Amino acid sequence: MASTFMGLNISYSGLVASNAALNTTANNIANVETVGYSRQIINQTASDAMRAFASYGCIGAGVDTLGAERVRDIYYDEKYWNNNSKLGEYDKKSYYCAIIENYLRDERGTNEVKGFSTIFNEYHTALDSLSNHADEADYALQLVGKAGNLCEYFNILYNNFQKMQKDVNDEINIKVDEVNGIAQQIALLNKQINMVEANGNTVANDLRDKRDLLVDELSAVVDVTCEERPIKAEDGSDANINEYTVMIAGGQTLVSGYEYRQLDCVPRKEWQKANQNDVDGLYDVCWKDTGMDLGLSAKNVRGELKGLYEMRDGNNDEAFHGKIESVDGLNKTVTVKTTADYLSDISKSTLPLTNGQITLSGKQYYYDSYTMKVDELTGEAYYTFRMSEDSSRNPSMVPSSYVGKSAKVGEQVDYQGIPYYLEQMNEWVRDYAYHFNEIYGVEGATDLNGNTHEGDIFFTGDDKVTSGQYSLKGTSVYDKSYDSSKNTGYYMLTAGNFNVVKSIQNDATTMATHTIAEDGVAKYDILDNLKDLSTNKDRMVFRGCSAQSFLICLMGDSGLNANSANSFQEIYADIEESIANSRFSVSGVDSDEEAANMIKFQNAYNLASKMISVLNSCYDRLITQTGV
């Protein structure tokens, strides 16, 4: 038989449920502007019915308030994280592509910016003026000055790109610290959540919101996947705690329950460079506990770290690679055969000249220098590396069993990043300097004073080690063989050290202007041929264009890259907005909806209170006014 006071208990349970719902609504309204907050609702269910031994059978026993739980859809979370990683990648690419375009721009007007086209045209005009006044020293001095401006343009552009590479490298370090901080916080939240939820009756809603917000932030830096699974007690029962796992960079574990791993930025030593033009101290991102590389070059990795990595190391898929042809243990050399066209042209190569790092059959070794020789019949290039005998670098010699295995220097990064632009500048400088010097030092070349300069050069490179200049006499940028240990040849010339020979800078009258006079008439054909070099593709070709089209080629590259980055950035930003709206429609706090809930739960509370008041009158009649 039901208790006389059962109705009062039922009404009280309704009062408690309505009060809890009102408090939860108040909490939702208070957090309407809180980033990462998920709307909460009261989870309630009808209490177990009570069996009454009467004609009406079972009767209801009120409502059980199970607790507050947040409204969240993991489907939208995962879609948001996946898209946010792609958006983060293209955000970084878009930002740095805009800087590259700014470096390469060439504008005229009130705020004139002298880029390549302006400086090269001024230089070409000075060359034309000298050809018309070849016997006047002032015009020669003007040309040398304009040639110096051209060299300075490449020097500054080269240094700007290297500075940008350093900035990108520093930002990679910042992002790695951000990942480490988030990992630590997630592991701590995992512990706190399990401590709160261990009794099985409470859900740590606010702590879970904080954890999901951290994952949102992490997903912008690197691709992320999460998994939560319950932990069973020893007897197989539910322990009311969960193990929350966070994986990044294609499925590598970052956080597992209360444990977390840390990333480390390991600066490359001077003898670990992968590219001739790289600045010192570029970071390799590795796991602290294992020392293994994170693998930012993998195709399935996304996020800001990926965008920064490709911008810093992007070489247009033109890193050194080939097959090990032979191993000479006696002479400590390894010969690698490569069929890539760009590796048979030393002007396009980016191998570190000395003290480089090479990966042979998946294992890292170090070389002191190398020689290159091209088979003119097959076009195949053979690089023979002199391996370092320093036991701290190479603990053991390369085994002969490696023959036929792969060899590479650096990674094939299929993106036109900073190394690509540096290589393009070097290629133009080497080609132009070679062809200019070839015309300049032609047989019978003579200066204004009548002195011969046959075989001499006009453009060279500054040697920062000796404070002198490289001797390029008798060398060619198209040599079919090369020895990096000799520190000679056009491969030593870069956009960063490009310069005019110092003797000509000091005395412009020593510049060769013509060949030996014939029949008493001076032939200023050297200057005419030098002018023709700028536009005649039979004399010099750069990517199918003439020498003066250098900027057009690079602006085309940077424009396409910037347009692609901006387009993808806009696409993923639109997708993110759509996903965020869908996610907000589920878990976000809507002011109008909460206002309606407030009225609804207020009415329920008032009704429960009224019911208690009514039952109080009934009990008063029953207890005080009934009986003897």
Side-chain angles (χ1 to χ4, degrees):
M1 179 176 177
S3 169
T4 303
F5 298 98
M6 184 175 180
L8 185 62
N9 290 330
I10 293 174
S11 299
Y12 174 73
S13 69
L15 190 68
V16 170
S18 301
N19 185 59
L22 277 172
N23 291 336
T24 302
T25 301
N27 188 49
N28 289 339
I29 294 172
N31 287 279
V32 68
E33 297 296 336
T34 301
V35 178
Y37 177 80
S38 300
R39 178 171 59 92
Q40 297 179 13
I41 61 173
I42 287 297
N43 190 9
Q44 59 187 49
T45 184
S47 300
D48 292 338
M50 180 178 292
R51 296 185 66 183
F53 295 98
S55 60
Y56 45 79
C58 296
I59 59 175
V63 61
D64 286 336
T65 303
L66 303 180
E69 70 174 14
R70 60 188 193 140
V71 181
R72 196 88 180 191
D73 192 333
I74 188 62
Y75 170 76
Y76 289 122
D77 286 340
E78 291 178 347
K79 286 177 67 69
Y80 182 87
W81 296 335
N82 291 335
N83 185 80
N84 203 31
S85 298
K86 298 173 185 176
L87 177 60
E89 175 184 345
Y90 286 102
D91 269 340
K92 291 303 175 185
K93 288 181 177 178
S94 177
Y95 174 77
Y96 284 104
C97 282
I99 295 178
I100 291 175
E101 283 193 304
N102 188 54
Y103 283 158
L104 296 175
R105 67 192 177 105
D106 189 354
E107 298 176 357
R108 297 187 181 188
T110 305
N111 300 317
E112 181 177 341
V113 176
K114 286 189 176 182
F116 174 81
S117 296
T118 301
I119 294 173
F120 191 81
N121 287 338
E122 291 177 353
Y123 155 76
H124 197 268
T125 300
L127 189 60
D128 185 57
S129 298
L130 179 60
S131 68
N132 296 324
H133 305 83
D135 56 345
E136 299 182 33
D138 289 345
Y139 287 92
L141 183 62
Q142 183 184 27
L143 173 62
V144 172
K146 296 300 182 183
N149 290 343
L150 179 65
C151 295
E152 186 180 20
Y153 166 78
F154 278 102
N155 297 162
I156 293 174
L157 189 62
Y158 186 91
N159 290 331
N160 283 341
F161 271 90
Q162 284 203 319
K163 183 180 182 301
M164 182 167 62
Q165 188 180 44
K166 185 178 183 304
D167 291 342
V168 174
N169 191 55
D170 291 341
E171 190 169 356
I172 287 176
N173 188 32
I174 292 172
K175 292 300 174 183
V176 166
D177 288 342
E178 189 176 333
V179 171
N180 289 339
I182 291 174
Q184 184 178 10
Q185 292 180 67
I186 290 177
L188 180 60
L189 284 170
N190 286 345
K191 187 173 185 179
Q192 292 175 343
I193 290 170
N194 279 341
M195 289 175 64
V196 171
E197 297 180 351
N199 60 13
N201 297 321
T202 307
V203 180
N205 294 313
D206 294 337
L207 294 177
R208 286 180 173 271
D209 281 343
K210 289 181 180 179
R211 185 172 66 184
D212 287 340
L213 183 59
L214 288 172
V215 177
D216 285 353
E217 295 174 6
L218 180 64
S219 67
V221 181
V222 64
D223 58 286
V224 58
T225 54
C226 300
E227 180 183 354
E228 185 172 18
R229 62 182 184 85
I231 297 177
K232 299 292 184 181
E234 293 183 359
D235 60 359
S237 62
D238 193 351
N240 294 324
I241 59 175
N242 299 305
E243 183 180 56
Y244 191 81
T245 304
V246 179
M247 292 162 285
I248 63 170
Q252 302 177 70
T253 301
L254 176 68
V255 180
S256 179
Y258 309 152
E259 303 295 329
Y260 63 94
R261 302 173 69 192
Q262 294 277 276
L263 294 172
D264 190 20
C265 284
V266 182
R268 298 172 190 167
K269 294 181 174 60
E270 186 180 354
W271 39 273
Q272 291 179 318
K273 282 189 176 182
N275 189 297
Q276 176 195 21
N277 306 304
D278 285 345
V279 298
D280 294 334
L282 293 186
Y283 293 122
D284 288 323
V285 182
C286 305
W287 292 104
K288 274 189 178 181
D289 54 357
T290 64
M292 298 293 293
D293 190 81
L294 179 63
L296 292 176
S297 60
K299 297 291 185 182
N300 59 343
V301 176
R302 295 289 184 184
E304 292 174 340
L305 274 178
K306 178 71 169 185
L308 292 169
Y309 169 79
E310 290 194 341
M311 185 57 64
R312 188 195 69 177
D313 293 354
N315 51 31
N316 200 34
D317 216 14
E318 293 183 351
F320 177 87
H321 66 282
K323 294 290 184 182
I324 300 175
E325 183 74 8
S326 63
V327 176
D328 187 341
L330 182 62
N331 295 311
K332 304 292 191 297
T333 62
V334 174
T335 300
V336 178
K337 180 179 75 173
T338 178
T339 58
D341 292 339
Y342 63 88
L343 292 175
S344 62
D345 184 351
I346 199 66
S347 70
K348 298 179 180 180
S349 180
T350 59
L351 273 177
L353 290 165
T354 56
N355 297 325
Q357 176 179 276
I358 184 170
T359 303
L360 304 173
S361 188
K363 186 177 179 181
Q364 290 181 347
Y365 291 87
Y366 300 94
Y367 65 85
D368 291 331
S369 61
Y370 66 88
T371 59
M372 185 272 283
K373 187 174 183 180
V374 178
D375 188 325
E376 296 188 19
L377 294 178
T378 63
E380 297 171 337
Y382 293 84
Y383 287 77
T384 300
F385 295 89
R386 301 183 185 95
M387 307 306 293
S388 173
E389 296 186 25
D390 187 341
S391 59
S392 64
R393 300 184 186 181
N394 292 331
S396 61
M397 182 52 191
V398 181
S400 57
S401 59
Y402 279 11
V403 173
K405 301 294 181 62
S406 64
K408 66 177 183 179
V409 175
E411 297 291 342
Q412 297 280 103
V413 184
D414 190 14
Y415 187 76
Q416 293 178 348
I418 295 170
Y420 168 77
Y421 289 99
L422 291 172
E423 184 277 324
Q424 291 288 292
M425 286 188 279
N426 288 350
E427 181 183 346
W428 188 92
V429 164
R430 290 165 181 167
D431 281 356
Y432 187 79
Y434 167 71
H435 288 100
F436 191 102
N437 290 342
E438 189 179 37
I439 297 172
Y440 178 83
V442 72
E443 182 180 356
T446 307
D447 63 21
L448 298 179
N449 303 318
N451 299 318
T452 182
H453 290 278
E454 183 176 324
D456 284 352
I457 60 174
F458 182 86
F459 286 115
T460 185
D462 293 331
D463 188 345
K464 296 180 180 179
V465 177
T466 64
S467 298
Q469 291 184 313
Y470 295 112
S471 175
L472 304 180
K473 292 182 180 181
T475 62
S476 170
V477 75
Y478 301 112
D479 287 337
K480 296 301 181 182
S481 62
Y482 182 74
D483 188 343
S484 71
S485 64
K486 294 182 179 180
N487 292 333
T488 59
Y490 281 87
Y491 191 62
M492 306 299 297
L493 183 61
T494 69
N497 61 31
F498 187 39
N499 208 345
V500 178
V501 172
K502 285 184 179 179
S503 61
I504 300 176
Q505 294 183 50
N506 296 332
D507 185 359
T509 62
T510 62
M511 174 184 175
T513 58
H514 58 283
T515 56
I516 299 173
E518 296 180 2
D519 299 328
V521 180
K523 295 171 58 182
Y524 298 114
D525 52 348
I526 290 181
L527 296 176
D528 292 334
N529 290 336
L530 290 177
K531 286 193 302 180
D532 192 43
L533 175 63
S534 301
T535 56
N536 191 342
K537 290 194 289 186
D538 291 333
R539 292 188 180 274
M540 174 183 167
V541 178
F542 177 74
R543 292 172 56 178
C545 302
S546 63
Q548 68 178 6
S549 300
F550 164 79
L551 185 66
I552 296 175
C553 294
L554 256 66
M555 282 296 291
D557 293 334
S558 64
L560 287 173
N561 291 334
N563 184 63
S564 174
N566 292 336
S567 296
F568 280 111
Q569 194 271 343
E570 291 175 3
I571 289 171
Y572 289 124
D574 290 341
I575 294 174
E576 178 167 289
E577 183 179 0
S578 176
I579 297 173
N581 289 336
S582 297
R583 188 161 73 158
F584 182 82
S585 68
V586 175
S587 59
V589 178
D590 183 271
S591 300
D592 294 335
E593 183 179 353
E594 295 305 321
N597 287 339
M598 180 176 62
I599 302 301
K600 179 175 65 175
F601 297 135
Q602 180 188 14
N603 291 335
Y605 187 90
N606 290 339
L607 286 173
S609 301
K610 184 65 175 177
M611 191 68 236
I612 291 175
S613 178
V614 169
L615 288 173
N616 182 57
S617 298
C618 294
Y619 295 142
D620 180 65
R621 170 74 64 177
L622 175 66
I623 296 171
T624 64
Q625 301 181 31
T626 303
V628 180

